[in-house]
Amino acid sequence: MKPVGRTAAALLMTALLVGGCAPGGGSGTGTPPPGGASTSAVPAAAATITIKDFDYGEPVTVGPGAVVAVINMDSAPHTVTAEKDKVFDVDVGGSGATGTFTAPTEPGTYPYFCVYHPNMKGTLTVK
Ligand SMILES: [Cu+2]
């Protein structure tokens, strides 16, 4: 068994690890990495519900007690109101207004609706 092979493998591993963190070009253009700590408009939201055209969009899954941000792109005001005991309920005025609510701590599926437009329905999953 040649030790050279092991060394080569180790070097390859190291190269992969380093390459994962360094910019690809190698010339160092100074491009900041995505997901930096520069955007802090909403307090550490785990997920965002974007309301547009009277639709809540994709279902959202978060951890127990997570902060969920809501953005309302419609001109009409909307709410995100849990059907079950209103365990969460946030009113978000229109035209790009934002709000947040705290997800329940108990895992489960939480259907919600808009009190102004009861035909609007969405689902929040906590797990
Ligand atoms: Cu609404």
Side-chain angles (χ1 to χ4, degrees):
M1 188 173 282
K2 291 184 176 180
V4 177
R6 299 189 121 192
T7 308
L11 282 173
L12 182 59
M13 285 277 289
T14 307
L16 285 174
L17 286 171
V18 172
C21 299
S27 54
T29 53
T31 307
S38 55
T39 53
S40 56
V42 183
T48 301
I49 296 170
T50 302
I51 306 173
K52 192 177 180 185
D53 298 330
F54 293 76
D55 191 294
Y56 289 113
E58 294 293 311
V60 169
T61 300
V62 297
V67 174
V68 181
V70 183
I71 302 175
N72 179 9
M73 304 302 288
D74 289 340
S75 56
H78 296 301
T79 73
V80 176
T81 305
E83 290 182 2
K84 189 169 66 176
D85 300 333
K86 291 193 176 182
V87 288
F88 52 86
D89 181 16
V90 61
D91 192 316
V92 187
S95 303
T98 61
T100 61
F101 67 89
T102 303
T105 55
E106 195 171 320
T109 301
Y110 296 86
Y112 58 82
F113 67 102
C114 172
V115 297
Y116 304 121
H117 316 99
N119 59 315
M120 289 177 62
K121 290 182 184 300
T123 302
L124 177 75
T125 300
V126 176
K127 68 177 182 180

